[in-house]
Amino acid sequence: MGKQNITVRIEVTGMTCTSCEQHVKKALTTIGANNIFASFRKNEVTFEVPDKSYIQFAKEAIIKCGYTPRHEEIILQQNRLELSNDGDYDLVIIGSGGAAFASAIKAVEYGAKVAMIERSTIGGTCVNIGCVPSKTMLRAGEINHFSKQNQFLGLNTSAGPVDLSTLVDQKNELVQYLRHEKYINLIDEYGFEFIQGEATFVDEQTVEVNGQKITAKHFLIATGASPSIPNIEGLNEVEYLTSTSALQLKQLPKRLAVIGSGYIAMELGQMFHHLGSEVTLMQRSPRVLKAYDPEISEAITKAITEQGISLITNATFNKVEMANGTKLVHITVNGENMVVEADEILVATGRKPNIEKLNLELAGVKIGSRGEVIVDEYLQTSNPRVYAAGDVTMGPQFVYVAAYEGGLVADNIFGSLKRKLDLTVVPGVTFTTPSIATVGLTEEQAKAKGYEVKTSVLPLDAVPRAIVNRETTGVFKLVADAQSGKVLGVHIVAENAGDVIYSATLAVKFGLTVNDLRETLAPYLTMSEGIKLAALTFDKDVSKLSCCAG
Ligand SMILES: Cc1cc2nc3c(=O)[nH]c(=O)nc-3n(C[C@H](O)[C@H](O)[C@H](O)COP(=O)(O)OP(=O)(O)OC[C@H]3O[C@@H](n4cnc5c(N)ncnc54)[C@H](O)[C@@H]3O)c2cc1C
């Protein structure tokens, strides 16, 4: 460990453009500050200086160049690392998605010399082929669906045919914009190296990229996951879609058969349905989202089937073939053979970790039965020099989990914080219509953990926001500890459930009780009022409540 350093943020008013940012940066360079990030959008500048006495000099320098420093705070006090002698870098990160960027940014803030290696498109899954493209296309689908099927008598908003090609071009533009803003631009902003190429370990402290060997004191494997394709006879002979290619399709399939039932299958299946395809969702398990509470599966099944999506559960996939230009999926359901005909087949049966090119044996990194990189509670692998974060570890596959893990790795390597991974309270959202959002324990999980459980199940037609929206298929379910009243889990199927779940996450994380929820005002007419109403219904009949949930 070397000298102490502090990172300071000062609110600055008067900056209106990127030139102003440059003026402030230049002024702070003259007083010896490092890692300076000025932002006129955020009205702030952050920078590193050796100690507190520099803050006054910084403020004077900002005033001198014509801007007004206001409130300041020390946001990080760190032991700045001496750069390593044993390697080209302090940290080499393989991958450039959410886990990678969160880790790189934090590692640089600790003063580490960092390189990031990416074999494909910078930004990884979320921005390029995952969250962003799927959600913007889902939104287009929703608008199309609601304009065709509005529930309000008197409104006549008939939608014309969907021009998928234009939608996809527009989506690609958005992806490109966000890739630049949220990833590419940050490389220079934070000051780490980006290497385009595929990384392969050659020994426990070296990777090879484009024929060049790179050594490092530490490595982070953040290589994510890709669609996993099931072994179904004939599938490989028929052209099928994955989530990646489905989001690039320029012509709407008339009939789409979806193999799979996880959140990606549900979202993309519904997106195509909303855009105008006839969609059949097929799955092996007896109910959709089988890991969730049965009330959640029931509510979403009702909603999507009411909308006209065909749902086939308990299916055994026998074979897939092409006949006269039509794709045929042969299945057996409850002993009966059936054939589902489609113009396109989407395979969305889960994801597998991207480890195939890493040569993990040479790195001394162990993998598990699903090919996932095995990590301990500090995200360290069996090689103490190598860490792993994000989808490659096969934990909850959400970008915010990946980013949290990437940051934790940097804290543990460079801050010596010994932070333990804590995934006890992870909210999850499926962006269907209505959406599904859950956090904490299901009723079954709570019982298995030994809680004496009490639950409240509130149908959505008891929630005023849903009534006025005329969209009442859904449910709020609260799971609580009968002894302490603590909220253990919240599970919702409702419009905007994804926005509502954050308050539930706070309740579960910070141990709020059912009484706390009852005694907290909930704004009328919002969907989040459903949480309060569900809390009130533990021992009251909701139909007896006045309209304002008193
Ligand atoms: C259709 C879809 C929708 C989704 N929607 C959401 C959502 O709404 N909300 C949400 O939170 N999450 C969503 N996710 C999940 C989310 O995108 C992932 O959990 C997250 O992006 C994982 O981040 P990561 O950093 O672990 O890996 P990734 O972002 O996958 O990045 C890994 C990178 O490593 C690169 N790589 C792999 N091997 C090598 C190698 N040997 N050398 C160099 N580079 C390599 C890959 O090319 C890739 O770019 C969605 C996913 C999909 C597929």
Side-chain angles (χ1 to χ4, degrees), residues 196-505:
Q196 185 75 56
E198 189 164 66
T200 306
F201 280 97
V202 291
D203 63 36
E204 294 193 353
Q205 50 193 327
T206 316
V207 289
E208 192 173 297
V209 190
N210 308 324
Q212 232 192 323
K213 293 200 170 50
I214 298 174
T215 57
K217 209 169 171 187
H218 301 282
F219 290 88
L220 170 63
I221 301 172
T223 50
S226 321
S228 151
I229 306 303
N231 190 8
I232 301 174
E233 188 190 325
L235 186 59
N236 285 329
E237 281 82 64
V238 173
E239 246 179 67
Y240 58 83
L241 300 168
T242 63
S243 61
T244 308
S245 49
L247 290 166
Q248 289 294 7
L249 214 56
K250 295 235 166 169
Q251 236 186 335
L252 198 66
K254 190 169 172 320
R255 296 161 302 175
L256 176 75
V258 183
I259 301 180
S261 60
Y263 83 88
I264 293 175
M266 302 270 298
E267 286 183 1
L268 295 185
Q270 202 184 40
M271 178 193 95
F272 278 104
H273 168 75
H274 281 350
L275 290 172
S277 301
E278 287 165 28
V279 173
T280 306
L281 290 177
M282 296 171 286
Q283 59 167 87
R284 289 201 166 103
S285 41
R287 65 174 166 99
V288 289
L289 302 171
K290 66 175 190 299
Y292 289 6
D293 272 280
E295 291 85 351
I296 298 302
S297 303
E298 231 170 79
I300 193 64
T301 300
K302 183 164 185 278
I304 62 173
T305 49
E306 275 173 0
Q307 287 164 20
I309 292 177
S310 304
L311 176 67
I312 301 176
T313 53
N314 271 324
T316 307
F317 296 94
N318 302 323
K319 73 170 178 185
V320 173
E321 63 175 343
M322 186 87 174
N324 304 323
T326 298
K327 291 169 183 169
L328 306 178
V329 186
H330 295 263
I331 53 176
T332 305
V333 182
N334 303 325
E336 211 177 297
N337 291 334
M338 290 171 62
V339 181
V340 174
E341 296 187 4
D343 303 296
E344 294 287 359
I345 296 173
L346 167 63
V347 178
T349 45
R351 294 174 67 79
K352 61 174 180 11
N354 292 329
I355 54 150
E356 69 291 350
K357 293 291 166 54
L358 289 172
N359 251 340
L360 292 176
E361 326 75 68
L362 296 185
V365 170
K366 290 206 173 111
I367 56 170
S369 57
R370 294 172 297 161
E372 78 281 14
V373 175
I374 297 177
V375 285
D376 65 11
E377 57 198 349
Y378 306 105
L379 294 176
Q380 207 161 18
T381 70
S382 47
N383 173 352
R385 193 183 274 270
V386 181
Y387 289 70
D391 284 6
V392 75
T393 63
M394 290 275 109
Q397 300 205 357
F398 298 115
V399 71
Y400 42 92
V401 173
Y404 156 66
E405 292 182 350
L408 185 139
V409 166
D411 280 343
N412 285 345
I413 298 176
F414 300 111
S416 306
L417 296 185
K418 283 253 156 204
R419 279 178 72 197
K420 286 186 185 173
L421 182 70
D422 180 1
L423 294 176
T424 44
V425 185
V426 179
V429 179
T430 303
F431 292 85
T432 40
T433 313
S435 42
I436 307 159
T438 76
V439 68
L441 302 177
T442 61
E443 184 175 350
E444 194 181 318
Q445 286 167 340
K447 283 179 179 159
K449 279 186 176 285
Y451 286 103
E452 190 190 322
V453 173
K454 62 174 183 173
T455 64
S456 160
V457 178
L458 180 79
L460 202 60
D461 59 13
V463 179
R465 178 76 245 179
I467 298 169
V468 300
N469 286 2
R470 296 177 188 276
E471 295 286 344
T472 51
T473 304
V475 69
F476 276 73
K477 177 169 180 177
L478 301 191
V479 178
D481 175 10
Q483 296 291 325
S484 64
K486 276 194 180 158
V487 182
L488 302 173
V490 178
H491 312 277
I492 308 167
V493 176
E495 199 179 339
N496 294 331
D499 297 321
V500 174
I501 205 69
Y502 190 62
S503 54
T505 305

Side-chain angles (χ1 to χ4, degrees), residues 136-152:
T136 191
M137 296 286 289
L138 269 159
R139 179 68 180 153
E142 261 173 39
I143 291 167
N144 189 54
H145 167 76
F146 281 117
S147 58
K148 273 195 288 196
Q149 299 213 343
N150 81 67
Q151 307 286 315
F152 295 91

